[in-house]
Amino acid sequence: MIKYLFSICLITSLLCSCKSPEARMPESVQSGSFLKESAERNKKLNAKEQQQIEKIIANNPSIEYLASKSGFWYFYNTKIENDSLQPEIGDIVDFEFNVSNLQGQQIYGNTNKTYVMDKEELFTGLREGLKLMKPSERITFIFPSQKAFGYYGDDNKIGTNVPLICEVTLNTIIKNND
């Protein structure tokens, strides 16, 4: 009798354990709403910064502002007509710059920097702005936050999503012979 009872238990447990696995439902469903909300926030931020920059431009009608293809504005303080030398990838440039916010409060004073074009870290707007310059030119750039330090800031004096005004003087260009 014990053998019979043991056999029934064994057969029952084998039949119950051979059940096919069931799919589990996910604990949370990603609907893509985060990305949509983030895109909307960025559009609003961009529109707000655009208004601020347009106000600066409108308040200075004597200055001829140029819009770059990259999404920032600039004007020449000193323009060099004769020279055609502009920095290219790998060239070494020596430049001075100062950085302020849109209200004109200086963040970084006259800073001298030597930079290898597109080979070292430099925020996007300034990197693209240097490519427009010739030696001895002084240009004032207005960068929206996405062309400046964006969401992260510079971990020092520039916070998140801060548009910047940079006055840059390109001192020298040393051409790369490679």
Side-chain angles (χ1 to χ4, degrees):
M1 172 89 169
I2 293 179
K3 283 187 178 182
Y4 180 68
L5 187 58
F6 180 73
S7 298
I8 291 176
C9 287
L10 182 62
I11 292 172
T12 306
S13 65
L14 285 175
L15 289 176
C16 291
S17 66
C18 292
K19 188 167 106 174
S20 64
E22 292 181 17
R24 296 183 311 184
M25 297 301 291
E27 291 181 18
S28 65
V29 177
Q30 299 270 337
S31 66
S33 63
F34 173 76
L35 294 176
K36 290 176 186 173
E37 290 170 6
S38 178
E40 282 303 311
R41 276 193 309 273
N42 287 335
K43 286 179 185 177
K44 288 177 184 175
L45 176 66
N46 195 13
K48 178 183 169 191
E49 290 177 4
Q50 181 80 19
Q51 287 175 342
Q52 291 173 330
I53 292 170
E54 287 173 358
K55 184 178 178 183
I56 290 171
I57 292 171
N59 288 339
N60 296 300
S62 62
I63 297 174
E64 181 185 351
Y65 284 89
L66 303 168
S68 75
K69 295 176 184 176
S70 302
F72 58 86
W73 293 262
Y74 63 100
F75 68 89
Y76 288 91
N77 302 75
T78 306
K79 185 171 184 170
I80 305 298
E81 298 289 341
N82 324 9
D83 200 352
S84 62
L85 181 66
Q86 289 180 301
E88 297 174 352
I89 295 173
D91 291 349
I92 300 170
V93 295
D94 179 65
F95 63 98
E96 295 174 26
F97 68 102
N98 59 54
V99 179
S100 59
N101 61 20
L102 293 185
Q103 292 72 37
Q105 297 166 327
Q106 193 171 65
I107 300 171
Y108 292 112
N110 290 332
T111 304
N112 197 331
K113 183 160 178 71
T114 301
Y115 169 70
V116 180
M117 291 300 295
D118 294 333
K119 303 285 184 180
E120 297 176 2
E121 288 288 320
L122 193 63
F123 70 88
T124 307
L126 187 53
R127 184 173 58 236
E128 293 169 358
L130 284 169
K131 292 177 184 176
L132 301 172
M133 299 183 74
K134 299 173 187 169
S136 301
E137 279 187 333
R138 180 183 281 288
I139 297 180
T140 299
F141 297 98
I142 302 176
F143 299 117
S145 64
Q146 72 268 17
K147 288 293 177 181
F149 289 94
Y151 178 75
Y152 296 103
D154 74 342
D155 293 330
N156 194 6
K157 294 183 179 181
I158 299 172
T160 62
N161 299 322
V162 177
L164 299 175
I165 298 174
C166 293
E167 189 174 324
V168 181
T169 302
L170 181 59
N171 297 324
T172 59
I173 300 173
I174 300 172
K175 297 303 275 180
N176 182 8
N177 293 328
D178 290 342

